Amino acid sequence: MTQQNVVVSETKTGINGGNSSITVAQKPPAAPGGYIPIPRRRILKNLEINGGQRINISIDSMRASSPTHLKSTPSLAEEYNSWILHHPSALDMFEQIMDAAKGKQIVMFLDYDGTLSPIVDDPDRAFMSESMRKTVRKLARCFPTAIVTGRCIDKVYNFIRLAELYYAGSHGMDIKGPAKESKYTKNDKAEEILFQPASEFVPMVNEVYEQLVEKTKSTPGARVENHKFCASVHFRCVEEKRWIELAQQVKSVIKEYPKLRLTQGRMVFEIRPSIKWDKGKALEFLLESLGFANCNDVFPVYIGDDRTDEDAFKKLRERGQGFGILVSKFPKETTASYSLQEPNEVMDFLQRLVEWKKLSTKSRSRV
């Protein structure tokens, strides 16, 4: 279930060192139809956040936020078979995808956890494999490539260690790009990209982080992270019988901060500033920074596994360009066009993209 949030403020801000500005649209994009509903929702609690903003917390929705908590049954297999018809494997559909991308500039956007690295109990040990790192490095030589993640930039960079990538951390609220000139940008003047639309919230997030650490210390397995512009509370290692208790603890802190909002991700509660900025806005900003804002010859590809990636999938639908790929072994509501089951399949897809680029370059050089 994709959580829709009431946004209570908006921001208008510009790129450091430039004359360009980003004005956040007042109307959020409407989600297109075609969802395959997931049944078995049993609402146990409604947490009221920020004067009317609500998040439905249920055992089913919390369990469904991680595939490891879903048991394989005949009904689930049947549901998946129906779902895969609407979201076919990007590997199986590779040739058709490349046909659609011919003559266009592919731009790659990649989530990190669950996409480039496996989901693990300890977020500090979510290491990507060396083969995945080599694949992403080769990918970035072929196409402009960005990492879009809920983690802070410093932490995700320590995992990836590739300076040639663009990074959008804290759900797109902290964006940095390579300082050196990129061969892909259409801008005449190369500048380092640095964009932080939620910088004023850093002291507030730090304060909330400290309170969440104190409030949740009585719940074994709860893990609180500070991502600079947002915070998260992981419940992957919390006993299921204490999930609602943890949700109430988080709510008791957030209700005192009307400028923050609470959403639910993959076995995690996310606390973010209530500004109209998300991974979809980050995708759009990076395309503009690369000079592809109003181009018809750009083909963005976004790969992610989390609910927060839905904002990017919706943005691609709205633009009518490129496509989204959801990483999941189980059926989920999504606006992504295609699917992959796990990080190993993501690596296979990226490797095929690199080989496709090499072959297409060779064929053009012979003409």
Side-chain angles (χ1 to χ4, degrees):
M1 180 174 65
T2 302
Q3 178 68 33
Q4 297 297 322
N5 297 289
V6 178
V7 180
V8 298
S9 65
E10 62 182 75
T11 184
K12 181 177 180 179
T13 183
I15 308 172
N16 291 350
N19 297 320
S20 302
S21 66
I22 299 292
T23 302
V24 179
Q26 295 185 4
K27 185 178 180 182
Y35 284 0
I36 307 299
I38 309 298
R40 306 180 306 279
R41 293 175 185 161
R42 177 163 51 90
I43 304 301
L44 299 182
K45 286 284 185 180
N46 284 327
L47 299 186
E48 197 165 357
I49 305 296
N50 302 342
Q53 182 177 336
R54 302 175 76 84
I55 177 171
N56 292 328
I57 302 297
S58 74
I59 292 296
D60 287 334
S61 69
M62 295 174 78
R63 185 185 296 120
S65 69
S66 174
T68 59
H69 281 72
L70 291 176
K71 295 181 180 179
S72 180
T73 63
S75 62
L76 184 60
E78 183 179 340
E79 194 174 332
Y80 179 80
N81 290 336
S82 174
W83 181 84
I84 201 69
L85 293 175
H86 296 82
H87 311 285
S89 167
L91 289 171
D92 293 343
M93 302 296 290
F94 186 82
E95 296 303 326
Q96 292 90 326
I97 292 170
M98 292 300 97
D99 285 342
K102 279 183 181 177
K104 300 178 181 180
Q105 173 63 64
I106 294 175
V107 183
M108 297 299 302
F109 297 90
L110 306 170
D111 186 20
Y112 182 73
D113 294 275
T115 300
L116 299 182
S117 73
I119 294 293
V120 294
D121 290 341
D122 183 354
D124 289 337
R125 301 192 63 79
F127 303 115
M128 68 190 303
S129 66
E130 190 57 36
S131 56
M132 179 68 87
R133 180 176 292 103
K134 290 178 180 178
T135 298
V136 174
R137 180 184 288 114
K138 291 177 181 178
L139 183 75
R141 291 171 183 165
C142 297
F143 314 104
T145 301
I147 304 298
V148 187
T149 175
R151 290 180 180 266
C152 68
I153 283 183
D154 291 342
K155 186 169 288 188
V156 78
Y157 182 82
N158 285 337
F159 281 134
I160 298 175
R161 302 194 306 275
L162 294 176
E164 58 267 42
L165 305 182
Y166 297 84
Y167 289 88
S170 301
H171 300 289
M173 288 181 283
D174 190 9
I175 300 178
K176 294 180 182 178
K180 59 185 179 181
E181 183 177 355
S182 171
K183 65 180 180 179
Y184 300 109
T185 182
K186 288 192 174 185
N187 297 328
D188 294 332
K189 185 178 179 181
E191 294 182 355
E192 180 179 7
I193 296 174
L194 176 62
F195 188 57
Q196 299 173 333
S199 56
E200 65 185 273
F201 289 91
V202 172
M204 185 183 297
V205 170
N206 287 336
E207 185 177 309
V208 167
Y209 166 75
E210 296 293 340
Q211 291 188 34
L212 287 170
V213 169
E214 181 65 25
K215 182 70 71 171
T216 62
K217 67 181 182 181
S218 62
T219 303
R223 175 73 175 269
V224 184
E225 283 193 291
N226 187 339
H227 304 298
K228 188 174 181 179
F229 298 96
C230 59
S232 61
V233 181
H234 299 266
F235 56 89
R236 182 173 301 278
C237 296
V238 176
E239 285 186 275
E240 187 174 304
K241 64 183 180 182
R242 304 194 70 165
W243 284 356
I244 296 301
E245 173 190 336
L246 177 64
Q248 292 285 16
Q249 291 170 346
V250 174
K251 176 252 182 178
S252 69
V253 173
I254 304 306
K255 70 179 182 180
E256 303 299 327
Y257 295 86
K259 292 185 178 181
L260 299 178
R261 59 174 170 156
L262 174 65
T263 60
Q264 184 183 327
R266 192 168 177 180
M267 299 295 285
V268 65
F269 295 119
E270 306 277 8
I271 298 92
R272 292 187 271 171
S274 289
I275 62 173
K276 290 185 178 179
W277 197 264
D278 51 41
K279 289 183 176 182
K281 296 288 186 183
L283 178 151
E284 207 164 41
F285 173 83
L286 283 166
L287 287 175
E288 179 174 330
S289 299
L290 286 164
F292 297 118
N294 301 307
C295 294
N296 294 322
D297 60 347
V298 63
F299 198 83
V301 178
Y302 189 105
I303 308 178
D305 75 308
D306 196 68
R307 292 183 183 186
T308 57
D309 298 312
E310 290 297 324
D311 293 313
F313 297 153
K314 290 175 186 177
K315 182 59 65 178
L316 293 179
R317 293 271 190 179
E318 183 184 89
R319 292 174 64 93
Q321 293 178 318
F323 59 86
I325 301 176
L326 176 69
V327 184
S328 178
K329 291 182 178 180
F330 295 87
K332 293 181 180 180
E333 291 182 9
T334 183
T335 48
S337 301
Y338 302 99
S339 65
L340 293 167
Q341 290 202 1
E342 58 189 2
N344 281 339
E345 285 200 354
V346 173
M347 185 167 63
D348 290 345
F349 181 81
L350 299 182
Q351 288 172 346
R352 288 187 67 177
L353 269 178
V354 171
E355 290 303 314
W356 175 85
K357 178 66 174 180
K358 290 178 179 178
L359 290 173
S360 61
T361 301
K362 285 181 180 179
S363 62
R364 284 200 304 270
S365 65
R366 292 171 184 162
V367 176

